[in-house]
Amino acid sequence: LLLKCFAPEGTPIQNVVFPVYSSSQTTLGRKKNNTISFSCNATHTHSTAAQGVSDARAGDDNVLVGIDSSISGMHATISHNCHSDCMELADGVAAGGSSPPAPKGSTNGTWVRLSPMHVPSDYFTLCDKSEILIGTVRFQVSVEEIVVERDVIN
């Protein structure tokens, strides 16, 4: 499964394609430790015009800037359902890889809103060409099938 980010324009992850593997759980959120993180390093210089002083943190790789403040630190989870053999999206992040997600889900929900705010959601099956909106960051799902050829011996 691939997630292609196509909006909002001008974000550092626009047009980036993120592979999602069925062998592991993928987390999405503002915190840097998520599989897909909506934070980037602050690499621009901020200066005060009146004083001409540069921000001491400019260019520091340890200073993170959130791409969208409406995205929770641990916003959503994509995981493989071995019973249905489908990839599924849930609002919030499962505790310790458990399913369904822990009661501490995302603050603002995940579009298509899978649950009301502060309520764990059921998983939603991701299909080819589905769109996911997390905060203002929009992804399109691409389900790629791998064709394996082999000789057939009669």
Side-chain angles (χ1 to χ4, degrees):
L1 181 113
L2 300 173
L3 293 180
K4 181 180 180 186
C5 178
F6 63 92
E9 289 190 29
T11 62
I13 62 171
Q14 181 184 10
N15 296 321
V16 174
V17 176
F18 297 93
V20 177
Y21 303 103
S22 60
S23 59
S24 61
Q25 178 174 284
T26 299
T27 59
L28 300 93
R30 201 173 58 242
K31 290 184 179 178
K32 194 69 173 170
N33 63 336
N34 284 290
T35 313
I36 299 174
S37 174
F38 297 97
S39 295
C40 62
N41 292 329
T43 57
H44 66 280
T45 302
H46 171 74
S47 61
T48 306
Q51 300 171 347
V53 178
S54 293
D55 186 336
R57 299 172 301 174
D60 183 352
D61 287 341
N62 294 321
V63 177
L64 298 176
V65 175
I67 293 172
D68 182 341
S69 62
S70 66
I71 297 173
S72 298
M74 306 291 271
H75 198 96
T77 303
I78 298 175
S79 59
H80 182 257
N81 181 328
C82 59
H83 300 297
S84 64
D85 196 29
C86 293
M87 297 297 281
E88 297 178 329
L89 172 72
D91 185 56
V93 176
S98 66
S99 173
K104 178 73 174 118
S106 74
T107 303
N108 297 314
T110 301
W111 181 83
V112 172
R113 185 174 292 278
L114 301 175
S115 65
M117 287 194 297
H118 310 290
V119 176
S121 70
D122 290 328
Y123 282 87
F124 177 80
T125 301
L126 295 173
C127 303
D128 195 37
K129 308 248 187 277
S130 294
E131 288 186 14
I132 301 170
L133 183 64
I134 297 180
T136 59
V137 181
R138 187 169 294 231
F139 294 94
Q140 184 173 48
V141 175
S142 175
V143 178
E144 304 221 346
E145 293 184 24
I146 299 173
V147 177
V148 178
E149 292 184 19
R150 61 183 171 170
D151 292 333
V152 177
I153 301 173
N154 289 337

